[in-house]
Amino acid sequence: MKTSTAVLSLSLAVSAFAQVQPAGVTQPIVEKCGSNGSVVCVNKYSAVLPYHFNRSISNNKADYDYRNTSVGNASTWDLLGPADFVVFDRERGLQYLGDSPSYEFMFPVSSAVHEAPIYAPKQNLLFISQLAPPTGVLPQLVVDLNQNPPTLSNYTPNPPIYAPNGGTFRNGELLFAASGGIDELGGTEQRVSLRTVDPATNKSTVLLNNYFGFYFNNMDDVVVHPTTRDIFFTDPDYSYFNALTDTAPQLPAASYRFDPATGAVFLIDDTLMQPNGIAFSPDGQTLYISDTGAVYGTIAPGYGGDGTQFNTTAPRTIYAFDVTNNGTRVSNKRSFYLAQDWVPDGLKVSKEGLVLTGSGHGVDVIDDVGQLIMRIQTNYTVQNFAWTGENLSTLWLMGNNGISKVEWNITGQTLV
């Protein structure tokens, strides 16, 4: 019997497909799931991909994340592109998303870094920082959640704060980790410091600006222990790399605990290349710190302001530590999570104990053993985020060029 050309072509196509598909590929690799089209599920974490696949390496000019991976012979891969939520653990991921999850882009903003998100519950305002460029000072930002829809406007503390980077809420006040050093701003010299702002009066106060006479390097992010109320912060070198301070680093990159009652500062870790995000589990017994050493610059005097470069093989890892002795002893450092995109910048832990990190164009949601449950996908680099609202169920994301919000079933820890 003579085989038709069409049948022969189909036979050859099937044969070629079989040759490039390694045993173990789960089909479909990606599929729509959940209650709306904004959610997709990746089956078995795409543990086995069909050949040929390739993921381009991000750099300072282009960010290539998981959805940009080129995967031959996987037509469903294209579902990743437009999705707002990518679920890897279907059972838990869909539970945490709830029946009607939503992602909404709220405000386009400048390319200046927007971080230090602090929610003031009494005023129902969300404060967000901008990092000042070397030639001037940008106002900070505030989202008024009392308005419908919310509004975005400028605000300036009194005295103003130069280059606030990290932020949290403590004792009814905004607590900023100010990352820059400048000879004169608002009539005063400013150095890398911990600063508070009363959201009712806008008055700012310095809590800490030196370690036995040495300037701190950056004060990147800050968190408060849920029991002792001591302040923990990270101190990498990024301000010098990005010309936000006029002094070269005087201390090693490290993380610290600060007791405002006594003024004492305690070194808790100096093993990370560039400590960045920092967060506590709800019980205060686990501390998470991210190392973003994959983004690095030159420290040599005279080279400040040259910026940074990205090295995908350098540290971009979250580490976990045990916290004991009534919140005063930090030990047992262990690897927790390797960022699947860019570096793990902002870091928060939800009321449910989930670890969230801003990583490239999105936010990764990780359980307490380091398993990625899902990812929020954005079209801009997310540096940090904060929960708002009466039930702390709305998550606001911010970073270069964008501010957005997410509604789901994951809630924030109550900050007092």
Side-chain angles (χ1 to χ4, degrees):
M1 183 174 66
K2 188 175 181 180
T3 304
S4 71
T5 301
V7 172
L8 179 60
S9 297
L10 177 61
S11 176
L12 290 174
V14 171
S15 175
F17 183 79
Q19 290 175 0
V20 298
Q21 288 276 33
V25 173
T26 299
Q27 294 291 355
I29 296 176
V30 183
E31 62 182 327
K32 292 185 177 181
C33 59
S35 58
N36 60 53
S38 68
V39 183
V40 299
C41 288
V42 177
N43 292 315
K44 284 198 169 181
Y45 285 77
S46 68
V48 181
L49 288 175
Y51 297 114
H52 177 69
F53 63 87
N54 179 70
R55 179 167 174 173
S56 298
I57 303 301
S58 296
N59 55 60
N60 286 356
K61 296 181 179 180
D63 184 32
Y64 302 103
D65 58 19
Y66 173 75
R67 63 188 145 176
N68 302 130
T69 306
S70 171
V71 183
N73 301 301
S75 59
T76 60
W77 195 262
D78 292 341
L79 293 173
L80 287 171
D84 294 328
F85 305 96
V86 178
V87 174
F88 294 90
D89 184 316
R90 183 185 295 249
E91 181 178 356
R92 290 187 294 172
L94 295 181
Q95 176 186 347
Y96 285 130
L97 285 175
D99 294 334
S100 303
S102 66
Y103 168 86
E104 184 178 1
F105 186 86
M106 298 297 294
F107 304 108
V109 288
S110 76
S111 60
V113 177
H114 299 75
E115 207 169 343
I118 309 175
Y119 177 56
K122 185 176 181 179
Q123 290 78 17
N124 199 28
L125 300 174
L126 176 63
F127 294 86
I128 302 171
S129 78
Q130 297 191 92
L131 293 188
T135 55
V137 178
L138 292 170
Q140 305 314 313
L141 302 174
V142 61
V143 178
D144 188 347
L145 301 174
N146 300 293
Q147 306 300 316
N148 188 17
T151 58
L152 180 69
S153 59
N154 295 333
Y155 91 100
T156 303
N158 181 27
I161 300 177
Y162 181 61
N165 192 80
T168 190
F169 195 71
R170 181 183 185 273
N171 294 348
E173 295 183 316
L174 315 178
L175 174 63
F176 286 109
S179 65
I182 190 171
D183 286 340
E184 195 277 330
L185 175 65
T188 65
E189 180 179 358
Q190 294 208 23
R191 295 296 158 188
V192 177
S193 58
L194 290 177
R195 304 280 293 270
T196 60
V197 176
D198 183 339
T201 65
N202 227 25
K203 181 181 178 181
S204 67
T205 303
V206 179
L207 293 184
L208 174 70
N209 67 2
N210 75 97
Y211 184 80
F212 296 101
F214 291 111
Y215 294 138
F216 287 102
N217 303 326
N218 190 142
M219 286 199 184
D220 190 282
D221 213 344
V222 61
V223 68
V224 176
H225 189 275
T227 303
T228 68
R229 313 303 296 159
D230 282 356
I231 299 168
F232 289 65
F233 63 92
T234 55
D235 192 45
D237 300 309
Y238 292 117
S239 285
Y240 188 64
F241 299 153
N242 297 317
L244 288 172
T245 181
D246 53 9
T247 58
Q250 300 178 352
L251 295 167
S255 302
Y256 299 88
R257 174 173 68 91
F258 172 55
D259 180 356
T262 65
V265 179
F266 304 84
L267 176 71
I268 61 170
D269 181 79
D270 63 355
T271 66
L272 305 187
M273 186 173 176
Q274 293 295 298
N276 197 319
I278 186 168
F280 279 108
S281 60
D283 60 10
Q285 296 180 13
T286 304
L287 176 66
Y288 300 95
I289 305 177
S290 65
D291 187 347
T292 56
V295 176
Y296 197 71
T298 303
I299 291 181
Y303 284 88
D306 283 0
T308 58
Q309 297 295 321
F310 176 68
N311 177 1
T312 189
T313 64
R316 47 193 182 95
T317 304
I318 299 173
Y319 293 90
F321 300 79
D322 291 337
V323 183
T324 56
N325 199 36
N326 194 31
T328 62
R329 181 172 295 132
V330 176
S331 61
N332 191 26
K333 171 190 170 187
R334 55 203 181 272
S335 300
F336 176 75
Y337 179 70
L338 175 65
Q340 59 91 17
D341 180 37
W342 199 241
V343 293
D345 197 341
L347 200 60
K348 299 284 192 303
V349 182
S350 75
K351 185 177 180 180
E352 299 82 6
L354 300 172
V355 179
L356 282 70
T357 184
S359 181
H361 283 192
V363 173
D364 288 346
V365 181
I366 311 149
D367 72 8
D368 60 0
V369 297
Q371 181 176 348
L372 177 64
I373 295 176
M374 73 176 102
R375 178 172 172 83
I376 304 168
Q377 293 193 141
T378 65
N379 61 355
Y380 63 93
T381 299
V382 178
Q383 265 116 11
N384 219 319
F385 42 90
W387 279 278
T388 68
E390 183 178 356
N391 300 317
L392 297 178
S393 59
T394 301
L395 187 73
W396 284 78
L397 288 55
M398 61 282 308
N400 293 347
N401 301 309
I403 298 174
S404 54
K405 71 171 182 173
V406 169
E407 302 287 354
W408 55 357
N409 281 350
I410 298 176
T411 54
Q413 296 184 49
T414 301
L415 304 177
V416 295

